[in-house]
Amino acid sequence: MVNCIFCKIIAGDAKSYKLYESEYSFAFLDINPISEGHTVVIPKKHVQSIEEWPEDVASHFMVDLVKISKHIKEALKLDGINILQNNGKAAGQVVMHSHFHIIPRRNNDGVLNIEMLGKNRPKMTDERFKELHEQMKLK
Ligand code: AMP
Ligand code: ZN
C-alpha cells in the first residue's frame, strides 16, 4: 500500500528494529515505546482494521503473536505483558495498517493505568443486556 509506513517497513524501505518475520507476520520495536521493548506486530498483508483480516492471516498471525509474546517475556524477564490492538480513530488507531502492541510490564511499573479503563462503566439492567444480546449475537 502506497504511503503506508508499516508496508514500507516490511519492504525494507523504512528503517525498523526488526525482531521477527514469517510468511504472515512482521514484528519490530515501537519507535515511541510505552515501556522498553514495546513491540508492534503486523500482518504482512495491508488491512486496516480487524474486520478485514482474512481467516488464514488471522490464524497464522495468532500463532506468531503467541510465539513472539512468549519470547519477549523470557528475553526481558518480564512480570507481565499487555497486548493491545486499536481499530479505528475512535479507538485510538493512528497507523492505518492493522497491528498489535506487545507492551512489556513489570510489577508496580505504573506505565499503563489499565484500571482507568473501567472508570466510566454504563449502568446495566436486565432489559438493556437483552437488547444488546439481540443486537450483537452472531446468527
Ligand atoms: P496505534 O495508535 O495503535 O495506531 O499505534 C501506532 C504505533 O506505531 C505507535 O505506538 C507508534 O509509536 C508506532 N509507530 C509509528 N511509526 C513507527 C515507525 N516508523 N517505527 C516504529 N513504530 C512506529
Ligand atoms: Zn500497510
Side-chain angles (χ1 to χ4, degrees):
M1 179 66 67
V2 194
N3 273 337
C4 169
I5 181 62
F6 287 177
C7 282
K8 284 183 185 157
I9 285 174
I10 293 166
D13 294 335
K15 185 188 159 176
S16 78
Y17 292 97
K18 174 175 140 184
L19 299 181
Y20 177 82
E21 179 177 8
S22 74
E23 187 183 344
Y24 289 90
S25 328
F26 196 101
F28 52 95
L29 292 179
D30 195 295
I31 205 169
N32 186 23
I34 291 174
S35 63
E36 276 192 16
H38 179 172
T39 297
V40 179
V41 190
I42 62 180
K44 281 189 171 171
K45 182 180 171 65
H46 180 101
V47 284
Q48 184 162 319
S49 198
I50 195 79
E51 65 271 22
E52 294 170 16
W53 287 52
E55 276 189 10
D56 65 323
V57 174
S59 55
H60 285 95
F61 183 91
M62 186 50 81
V63 172
D64 285 338
L65 188 68
V66 171
K67 188 190 294 185
I68 296 162
S69 300
K70 187 167 181 274
H71 173 80
I72 290 173
K73 192 163 179 231
E74 286 169 5
L76 297 182
K77 298 187 170 46
L78 300 173
D79 299 314
I81 51 176
N82 293 109
I83 296 181
L84 299 181
Q85 204 253 332
N86 304 325
N87 296 282
K89 285 202 175 80
Q93 185 176 7
V94 173
V95 176
M96 293 301 162
H97 182 131
S98 203
H99 55 275
F100 278 70
H101 298 261
I102 297 176
I103 300 168
R105 300 298 305 273
R106 297 185 191 282
N107 291 329
N108 306 314
D109 60 17
V111 298
L112 261 187
N113 195 348
I114 289 295
E115 292 75 21
M116 285 307 291
L117 278 177
K119 285 294 182 230
N120 194 16
R121 293 181 196 234
K123 290 268 181 301
M124 297 303 291
T125 59
D126 216 30
E127 193 52 36
R128 189 61 187 137
F129 272 120
K130 278 180 192 154
E131 284 171 3
L132 287 170
H133 183 229
E134 233 5 86
Q135 202 178 339
M136 292 171 67
K137 67 186 173 191
L138 282 75
K139 294 182 172 119

